[in-house]
């Protein structure tokens, strides 16, 4: 929960900045108030969406899986999504990655935890 709050705060801070940067990004002057981009919380294609639907879990449905994929698309790279999708079929793989001493796995796990917390917050109840 704390990690998700930090991610949202960082996203809001990233949307702030000087007028020139905003003018290039948004095509407007810096005086125009803009909010952070909103994650598309429903996507019907992607590795996590497919793995979620195939998982056979009782709560899996197109709305929930689409929401989880939407959050993943906004927070994880394509390769990271593939790795996360593999956890649906092999939960032990997630445990191996989490406990790994490999720096790349440690960095991935931190991003994955942030993604998971955000997905839980956004997609709860679908």
């Amino acid at each position: 929960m704390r990690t998700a709050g930090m991610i949202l705060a960082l996203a809001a801070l990233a949307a702030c900045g000087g007028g020139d940067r905003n003018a290039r990004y948004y095509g407007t002057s810096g005086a125009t108030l803009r909010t952070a981009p909103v994650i598309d919380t429903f996507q019907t294609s992607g590795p996590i969406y497919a793995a979620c639907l195939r998982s056979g879990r009782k709560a899996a449905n197109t709305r929930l899986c689409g929401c989880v994929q939407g959050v993943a698309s906004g927070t994880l790279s394509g390769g990271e999504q593939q790795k996360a999708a593999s956890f649906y079929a092999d939960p032990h793989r997630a445990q191996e990655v989490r406990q790994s001493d490999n720096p790349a796995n440690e960095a991935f796990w931190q991003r994955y935890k942030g993604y998971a917390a955000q997905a839980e917050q956004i997609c709860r109840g679908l």
Side-chain angles (χ1 to χ4, degrees), residues 93-105:
R93 171 98 172 100
Q95 188 72 357
E96 290 172 343
V97 171
R98 186 183 73 80
Q99 293 179 332
S100 172
D101 289 332
N102 177 311
N105 280 343

Side-chain angles (χ1 to χ4, degrees), residues 74-99:
T75 57
L76 299 174
S77 72
E80 290 170 335
Q81 290 179 45
Q82 290 287 343
K83 184 182 264 190
S86 74
F87 299 162
Y88 282 87
D90 185 6
H92 182 68
R93 171 98 172 100
Q95 188 72 357
E96 290 172 343
V97 171
R98 186 183 73 80
Q99 293 179 332

Side-chain angles (χ1 to χ4, degrees), residues 16-42:
C16 299
D20 290 339
R21 187 175 136 251
N22 286 340
R24 283 192 303 271
Y25 184 72
Y26 294 112
T28 63
S29 72
T32 304
L33 178 63
R34 299 290 177 176
T35 59
V38 176
I39 293 174
D40 177 8
T41 56
F42 187 76

Side-chain angles (χ1 to χ4, degrees), residues 42-69:
F42 187 76
Q43 295 184 0
T44 57
S45 65
I48 291 179
Y49 177 78
C52 176
L53 288 178
R54 283 193 311 262
S55 71
R57 288 180 170 85
K58 184 178 175 180
N61 62 58
T62 56
R63 288 186 64 208
L64 175 62
C65 296
C67 180
V68 172
Q69 177 62 57

